[in-house]
Amino acid sequence: SDHVEFVGLCDINYKRAAVAKAMMGVNAKTYEAKDFDLMIQETKPDIVIVTTTDGFHEKYIIRAMELGCDVISEKPIAIEADQCQRIADAEVRTGRKIKVGFNDRHTINSIETKKILMSGELGKIIAVDFHEYLDTSHGADYFRRWHGKKKFSGSLLLHKASHHFDVINWFVDAD
């Protein structure tokens, strides 16, 4: 609250937006997804944070930039290469900026791993082999929700592994 003021919350489920508002303890106005443009016009945000189902990121990112806002999107920025290109084109056309957030960098395990790797304690890193084993509770849950449908998530590889690619690159200070 020292740096950010939430001025509007928008969701396809109006009740979910109201619950989020209460949980966050903010006094932001809530809007239905169909009223996205109205929300931007009324609240005039500097930045729009896009946290929709992955397959809809492009729609809201581009529209927010067209309406004069910078954007922070959760990962992945989009689920298809052509969507990414349209977002990049909109960024150039509108002069607005898009940033993508990767939350796995901020877990205690990732932070401590990064510190150890960067300390040199383990020597020079010459290769990386990364495995994550999803148990039936966490892993199966992806396929019970929208993540299991490629048209919404791009695939489990894109939705879930994008964390892994990002954190590994961050661990070893690479692109």
Side-chain angles (χ1 to χ4, degrees):
S1 63
D2 292 342
H3 305 285
V4 175
E5 176 188 1
F6 282 89
V7 295
L9 295 171
C10 182
D11 199 300
I12 196 166
N13 181 328
Y14 187 77
K15 289 181 181 179
R16 184 171 45 212
V19 169
K21 175 182 170 177
M23 288 177 66
M24 293 167 60
V26 298
N27 193 27
K29 190 170 177 186
T30 54
Y31 296 83
E32 293 183 53
K34 67 181 179 60
D35 296 322
F36 181 78
D37 285 18
L38 178 65
M39 177 186 72
I40 301 299
Q41 292 163 359
E42 287 185 357
T43 62
K44 298 177 179 30
D46 298 318
I47 300 171
V48 170
I49 303 171
V50 176
T51 61
T52 64
T53 300
D54 298 351
F56 299 106
H57 285 181
E58 174 201 16
K59 172 184 176 180
Y60 291 102
I61 289 168
I62 291 175
R63 190 64 187 138
M65 288 192 288
E66 290 172 345
L67 293 171
C69 304
D70 289 331
V71 179
I72 299 170
S73 177
E74 64 182 349
K75 63 79 198 155
I77 193 168
I79 63 169
E80 298 286 345
D82 61 327
Q83 293 175 333
C84 293
Q85 186 61 59
R86 286 191 293 271
I87 291 168
D89 293 344
E91 188 176 30
V92 170
R93 183 178 74 250
T94 64
R96 305 314 306 182
K97 296 293 175 203
I98 172 75
K99 292 187 166 98
V100 180
F102 288 91
N103 64 339
D104 200 26
R105 291 183 181 200
H106 306 284
T107 65
I108 191 68
N109 290 342
S110 292
I111 291 168
E112 291 304 314
T113 300
K114 171 78 173 178
K115 284 180 188 174
I116 292 167
L117 293 172
M118 292 295 102
S119 75
E121 177 182 340
L122 300 177
K124 181 180 177 186
I125 300 168
I126 58 171
V128 175
D129 184 12
F130 185 99
H131 293 267
E132 179 180 9
Y133 300 98
L134 297 176
D135 60 22
T136 55
S137 172
H138 180 65
D141 186 49
Y142 275 93
F143 294 102
R144 287 192 291 266
R145 298 179 287 153
W146 59 265
H147 306 94
K149 295 184 173 42
K150 192 172 181 181
K151 68 181 180 178
F152 296 129
S153 69
S155 71
L156 184 61
L157 181 64
L158 176 63
H159 181 81
K160 187 81 172 98
S162 57
H163 282 298
H164 307 147
F165 292 119
D166 174 67
V167 81
I168 289 297
N169 282 323
W170 180 61
F171 282 167
V172 299
D173 201 23
D175 291 330

